Amino acid sequence: MSEPHNSEAQTLYDVMGGAERLRELVDRFYDLMQLEPEFAGIHAMHPQPNDSSREKLFMFLSGWMGGPDLFVQQYGHPRLRARHLPFAIGTKERDQWLRAMAWAMEDLGYDEELRMRLMQSFYHTADWMRNKAD
């Protein structure tokens, strides 16, 4: 089987640069969540220190983007909604999460096409996570 010759045939994981770039993205996302007051709502939902949250997001996104399915290998099916039900997630929390992720991608110099592609996918997942009325 030949290697893909264009980004359309590659996974998001490959296009974004693999494990090293994904780790940078997750770390910048959580750093921003801790540093920026506008993300206080979602920051408060995470245990401190947030090392386990960072690792679980890295593992989940690896498989979600088409790379190694690390989360499933260690924890089984992600059951995203079920795992997040203990947290009140509305539009405000969804938007904080998306803004922190967009900011992290900007800081890391992701090109606009990749940022838009990822944000569309992130939006669908983040919106599905909402579990409280606004």
Side-chain angles (χ1 to χ4, degrees):
M1 184 174 215
S2 65
E3 291 292 318
H5 294 288
N6 63 49
S7 63
E8 297 301 317
Q10 293 180 314
T11 65
L12 281 170
Y13 182 84
D14 293 330
V15 172
M16 62 100 52
E20 184 176 329
R21 288 291 280 172
L22 178 57
R23 176 68 67 191
E24 290 173 353
L25 177 63
V26 169
D27 285 343
R28 185 63 186 145
F29 170 80
Y30 274 99
D31 291 349
L32 287 166
M33 194 189 306
Q34 287 179 258
L35 295 169
E36 298 298 329
E38 73 180 275
F39 306 130
I42 59 171
H43 182 251
M45 294 179 179
H46 290 79
Q48 298 304 316
N50 62 22
D51 297 344
S52 69
S53 297
R54 285 178 190 248
E55 188 61 19
K56 286 177 180 173
L57 182 60
F58 169 80
M59 294 170 77
F60 170 75
L61 288 178
S62 176
W64 184 80
M65 291 180 169
D69 215 352
L70 304 172
F71 190 94
V72 171
Q73 291 169 8
Q74 183 156 347
Y75 299 105
H77 190 282
R79 299 180 9 249
L80 281 183
R81 261 185 81 84
R83 290 181 197 272
H84 287 82
L85 278 176
F87 308 100
I89 301 171
T91 302
K92 180 180 172 184
E93 292 78 16
R94 176 203 66 197
D95 291 350
Q96 284 182 31
W97 194 97
L98 290 168
R99 173 66 184 125
M101 190 57 76
W103 190 339
M105 288 189 289
E106 290 169 27
D107 283 357
L108 294 174
Y110 282 38
D111 69 55
E112 186 174 351
E113 183 180 335
L114 178 57
R115 285 195 328 257
M116 291 301 108
R117 190 171 165 193
L118 284 168
M119 286 306 295
Q120 285 177 338
S121 295
F122 285 145
Y123 176 83
H124 292 298
T125 302
D127 192 56
W128 181 66
M129 301 303 291
R130 290 183 306 132
N131 59 22
K132 75 171 188 177
D134 293 319

